[in-house]
Structure formats: C-alpha cells, structure tokens
Amino acid sequence: MKIGIVTPAPAQSRYGNRVTALRWARILKKLGHRVTIDQNYSGKQLDLLIALHARRSFTSIERFHREHPDSPIIVALTGTDLYPDLSVNQLARKSLDLASRIVVLQPKAMEELRVRWREKARVIYQSAARSVVSQAAPSRRGFNVCVIGHLRPVKDPFRAAMAARLLPPSSRVRVFQIGGAMTERAAARAREEERINPRYRWLGEQPPWRVRSVLAESRVCVLSSRIEGGANALGEAIVAGVPVLASRIPGSVGILGESYPGYFEAGDTSGLAELLARAETDSKFLRTLEQHCENLMQLFKPAREEEAWATLLDEIS
C-alpha cells in the first residue's frame, strides 16, 4: 500500500510531530508499505493518507478527500488539537468528520472527542526503544534533572530552572535543558537563565544519541508543559528508567494515571521546587516514582506500537 504521512513540522525538526512521523514511517515500512513524508499533500497517488494535526493539516486532508473520496484518511491528534482546537476551530472538527479513523496518543484524549468521533478513534502509544546508553548509571556529580523539548511557550520550558532557584544552598540539583529555541527571544531567555542561575545549563538542540545520554545521567525528567497530546519525552524517560515530575495536564495524566505522586500544577514553580527537593532528599519517594514508571514501560514497547498499527490498517483495508 502507498501511504503518505503529512505533518506541519519541518523536515529538520527532531522533536514533536516530526519525530512521530518518522517513527510511524519506519513502522509502516516494516509492515511492508511504501511511505512518504511531506508537510502538505501535493496530489500524489496514495492508497492512504495519515495526517498529523487536525487543524494545521486540514488543507491536505480536504484535498485528499476531494481527489480520492474512496480512500481512507487517518487523522492523528496532537496536543493543540485536543486542547483547545476541537472546541473552537471548525477546520479541526471538519478534519475529524472526514477521517476514516482517528489516532490519539493516550486514553484520556477520548474524553475530548464527540461520540461520532470516539467511535472511530484508537489509542496508539508512542514507543521508545531502550538503548545501551539509557542503562548507564546516573551522574554522581550532582542530582541531574533534564528537560526535553523545544523552547516554546506551550512547553513552559523554564519552569524547572525557576524552581531550581528556590532550592536550598545544600541542594545538588542541576537542570539540563535540551531543545532548540524557536525564537531569538527564547534563546536570549535561556542564555540569561544560564547567567543568573548556576544550577541551569541550556544544551540547545541535540541529536537523539545525545538526548539519550543526558537522560541516562539524570535522576528525574521534568515535563512542565501546559498542553500535550502525549509527549514523546514522557515515553523516552520512562523507557530509560528515569522517573518524571510532570505538570498535571490531561496529556500526562492519561499516561501516568490519576494517582501518580509526581505531579505539580501547571505553572506552579513552588510546587515543582518542593517535588525536586523531595526527589533529591527522600529516597523512598524517588523509588516510588521509579517503580510507578517501571510499571508503565510495557506501554511503550516498539512491538506494541507496531501491532497497533497493523491492527488499524487491517480495519480500514
């Protein structure tokens, strides 16, 4: 089958939708299909279109449906689709009406879907393979904390750095931020944080092997986003054996569960600082986080994601 994946993320991006598109392409090729990735549908002869982002990919979805009305369309929902586009944007809603199937990245996303959409929606967790480097011991030079993601407002990227400033002088917490600056203003903010905050270092955009290395040296990973559909970084951290301190948002609660003890309220610097201090000083609490995340590892096995895609394609073929 000829499958086209469209994603608004540029080709050079190493995060978010582009990472998802590349991983899905590998899975679909392994299943025996021919796959292309583009930012927009340009009229290629395809048997199936997979579109990431209901609103931003609407033009591609509408064109493919118009030119190939009998061919299936799978729409994958991102964080901004779910929170809040579906409630306010007509194009996002029309994309779901045109979709043959809808993919969401965690089960709590189903709560945002109308009944007519929910019936054709499927949950596919984003897999992450555990590498050799991810099994290395954490750094002994300090209590390393990593933050992974582009410097975008929706990620609230400097929350961990600001929380680290509130820790007592005895704390050995060091925050390592991985992610490219989307604007010069964000880059300037990161450089200023480095200047005033001795606990913080911005590493910029890094290749996957370097991200895995930083994760392996970390004791916890902070996911401070205000909106997520189902973060790649969350699965990567869990598979690497690194527990997460996460903002209490649906995209993270849908994966970690309602009872997870490592939540802080989105935007709550003091709350995150308290969790960082507790993770550093309370070994029992840290082990509780580790055990909870270890129990979730099976959700992110590559074989599970591959099987989910094979089942989905069987449904629409």
Side-chain angles (χ1 to χ4, degrees), residues 247-302:
S247 51
R248 190 188 297 275
I249 58 172
S252 294
V253 174
I255 293 174
L256 293 168
E258 296 283 354
S259 63
Y260 184 63
Y263 292 125
F264 60 96
E265 297 305 317
D268 182 2
T269 307
S270 298
L272 176 54
E274 290 174 7
L275 284 177
L276 287 171
R278 188 176 178 191
E280 182 184 12
T281 61
D282 185 343
S283 60
K284 185 177 180 180
F285 174 66
L286 183 60
R287 184 56 189 152
T288 298
L289 297 178
E290 290 170 344
Q291 289 177 334
H292 188 106
C293 291
E294 285 172 7
N295 292 338
L296 297 174
M297 280 188 183
Q298 74 277 3
L299 296 177
F300 305 98
K301 289 182 177 180

Side-chain angles (χ1 to χ4, degrees), residues 64-283:
F64 183 81
H65 177 74
R66 184 177 68 251
E67 296 181 3
H68 309 282
D70 297 324
S71 296
I73 299 171
I74 297 174
V75 177
L77 296 181
T78 68
T80 51
D81 277 328
L82 292 162
Y83 321 105
D85 281 357
L86 289 183
S87 62
V88 300
N89 188 273
Q90 183 177 356
L91 298 184
R93 294 194 293 268
K94 188 171 181 180
S95 288
L96 297 197
D97 288 335
L98 294 175
S100 309
R101 290 291 186 274
I102 298 164
V103 168
V104 295
L105 306 179
Q106 42 83 18
K108 201 167 180 62
M110 291 288 194
E111 298 174 8
E112 304 301 317
L113 302 182
R114 297 178 182 180
V115 173
R116 70 176 187 273
W117 300 330
R118 200 175 302 164
E119 293 171 348
K120 54 185 178 181
R122 305 291 181 267
V123 177
I124 298 182
Y125 291 95
Q126 301 188 86
S127 66
R130 191 172 192 186
S131 64
V132 173
V133 69
S134 71
Q135 301 175 47
S139 172
R140 294 182 179 275
R141 291 177 294 174
F143 192 88
N144 286 10
V145 175
C146 66
V147 182
I148 302 172
H150 282 318
L151 307 188
R152 300 166 53 204
V154 71
K155 299 289 186 180
D156 196 12
F158 302 108
R159 191 61 52 191
M162 292 187 290
R165 291 191 229 157
L166 302 181
L167 297 174
S170 59
S171 174
R172 299 171 67 236
V173 162
R174 303 186 303 172
V175 176
F176 293 88
Q177 179 119 36
I178 296 177
M182 307 302 284
T183 64
E184 179 52 39
R185 181 178 181 181
R189 172 71 177 81
R191 291 191 291 266
E192 174 64 9
E193 187 67 34
E194 283 190 306
R195 188 186 69 80
I196 65 174
N197 186 351
R199 300 187 188 277
Y200 175 79
R201 185 181 175 195
W202 177 40
L203 302 179
E205 190 163 356
Q206 297 290 330
W209 69 266
R210 177 61 173 148
V211 176
R212 291 191 290 268
S213 178
V214 173
L215 257 176
E217 295 179 351
S218 301
R219 303 303 301 274
V220 297
C221 178
V222 171
L223 184 66
S224 53
S225 300
R226 296 183 180 278
I227 295 174
E228 287 286 357
N232 277 300
L234 182 53
E236 294 282 354
I238 289 172
V239 168
V242 179
V244 178
L245 300 179
S247 51
R248 190 188 297 275
I249 58 172
S252 294
V253 174
I255 293 174
L256 293 168
E258 296 283 354
S259 63
Y260 184 63
Y263 292 125
F264 60 96
E265 297 305 317
D268 182 2
T269 307
S270 298
L272 176 54
E274 290 174 7
L275 284 177
L276 287 171
R278 188 176 178 191
E280 182 184 12
T281 61
D282 185 343
S283 60

Side-chain angles (χ1 to χ4, degrees), residues 49-69:
L49 182 74
I50 300 173
L52 280 86
H53 206 293
R55 173 178 58 82
R56 295 176 65 190
S57 293
F58 170 76
T59 301
S60 294
I61 293 166
E62 192 276 334
R63 179 179 177 181
F64 183 81
H65 177 74
R66 184 177 68 251
E67 296 181 3
H68 309 282

